[in-house]
């Protein structure tokens, strides 16, 4: 991360660590980062941000959170990334706060699109910065479709 910051001036990196009294070392919780070109380019994007995650399977079982926008040509425009050990309301709230603070900034009427993950929904509902007129939360239609198909195939229905 230090090398990325050195060779990408203006890059934003936010770390979250914990200190426990019975453990002498600092414990990593999460990290959020966004490149300056992503932050500067978002002002030219549509007011849509898609949120998704993927598992990172290596030495540690972590998740990578990805925030993307849509540019004027309808192409995917990366905005920010994050890594965390688990998804919780606290985790999502921390990331959404940093997304608002560093990338979205003063823009309003932002539409957040995500899957139906309970923690995302509860985080968006709990944060004043993402309430109506500042932002709106909607579900991804692809996730709705796959959840619908999975639910009915599980019951033996053919769609």
């Amino acid at each position: 991360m230090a090398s990325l910051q050195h060779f990408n001036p203006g890059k934003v990196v936010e770390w979250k660590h914990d200190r426990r009294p019975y453990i002498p070392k600092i414990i990593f919780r999460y990290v959020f980062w966004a490149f300056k070109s992503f932050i500067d380019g978002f002002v030219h994007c549509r007011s849509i941000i898609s949120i998704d995650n993927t598992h990172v399977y290596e030495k540690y079982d972590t998740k990578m959170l990805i925030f993307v926008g849509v540019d004027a040509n309808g192409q995917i425009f990366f905005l920010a990334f994050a890594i965390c050990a688990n998804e919780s309301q606290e985790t999502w709230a921390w990331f959404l706060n940093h997304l608002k603070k560093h990338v979205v900034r003063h823009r309003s009427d932002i539409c957040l699109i995500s899957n139906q993950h309970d923690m995302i929904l509860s985080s968006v509902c709990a944060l004043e910065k993402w309430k109506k007129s500042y932002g709106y939360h909607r579900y991804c239609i692809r996730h709705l479709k796959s959840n619908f198909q999975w639910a009915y195939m599980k019951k033996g229905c053919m769609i």
Side-chain angles (χ1 to χ4, degrees):
M1 216 34 94
S3 293
L4 280 174
Q5 274 187 290
H6 176 75
F7 292 106
N8 294 284
K11 177 184 173 207
V12 173
V13 178
E14 295 280 352
W15 294 88
K16 172 80 170 159
H17 296 98
D18 277 347
R19 237 183 228 287
R20 303 277 162 86
Y22 50 89
I23 300 174
K25 295 186 179 189
I26 296 173
I27 300 169
F28 165 77
R29 295 282 309 277
Y30 3 96
V31 63
F32 168 95
W33 73 93
F35 294 102
K36 184 174 181 346
S37 58
F38 297 172
I39 296 166
D40 294 345
F42 182 62
V43 297
H44 304 292
C45 289
R46 297 176 187 167
S47 297
I48 297 171
I49 297 176
S50 293
I51 304 169
D52 208 352
N53 66 17
T54 186
H55 291 274
V56 179
Y57 298 106
E58 285 297 321
K59 184 176 180 183
Y60 304 103
D61 183 22
T62 58
K63 293 184 174 75
M64 180 175 215
L65 310 181
I66 304 164
F67 305 93
V68 297
V70 179
D71 68 12
N73 290 328
Q75 303 297 310
I76 291 173
F77 187 86
F78 287 100
L79 299 174
F81 303 95
I83 293 179
C84 62
N86 63 359
E87 292 179 84
S88 66
Q89 182 184 6
E90 177 191 352
T91 306
W92 278 107
W94 192 83
F95 292 131
L96 289 169
N97 273 329
H98 285 295
L99 182 69
K100 177 70 173 166
K101 177 182 174 184
H102 298 295
V103 179
V104 175
R105 295 180 182 169
H106 304 293
R107 286 184 69 177
S108 59
D109 289 332
I110 301 294
C111 180
L112 290 174
I113 299 174
S114 72
N115 61 14
Q116 293 174 302
H117 195 286
D118 293 339
M119 298 304 152
I120 297 173
L121 181 60
S122 61
S123 298
V124 171
C125 291
L127 295 171
E128 200 61 40
K129 296 173 183 176
W130 291 104
K131 293 208 172 160
K132 286 193 178 170
S133 85
Y134 296 111
Y136 302 89
H137 182 253
R138 301 293 182 254
Y139 292 127
C140 172
I141 194 71
R142 186 183 65 79
H143 285 99
L144 284 173
K145 175 188 169 272
S146 87
N147 291 343
F148 180 81
Q149 286 180 321
W150 182 82
Y152 280 97
M153 285 193 188
K154 192 168 106 176
K155 292 180 180 178
C157 300
M158 295 299 288
I159 298 177

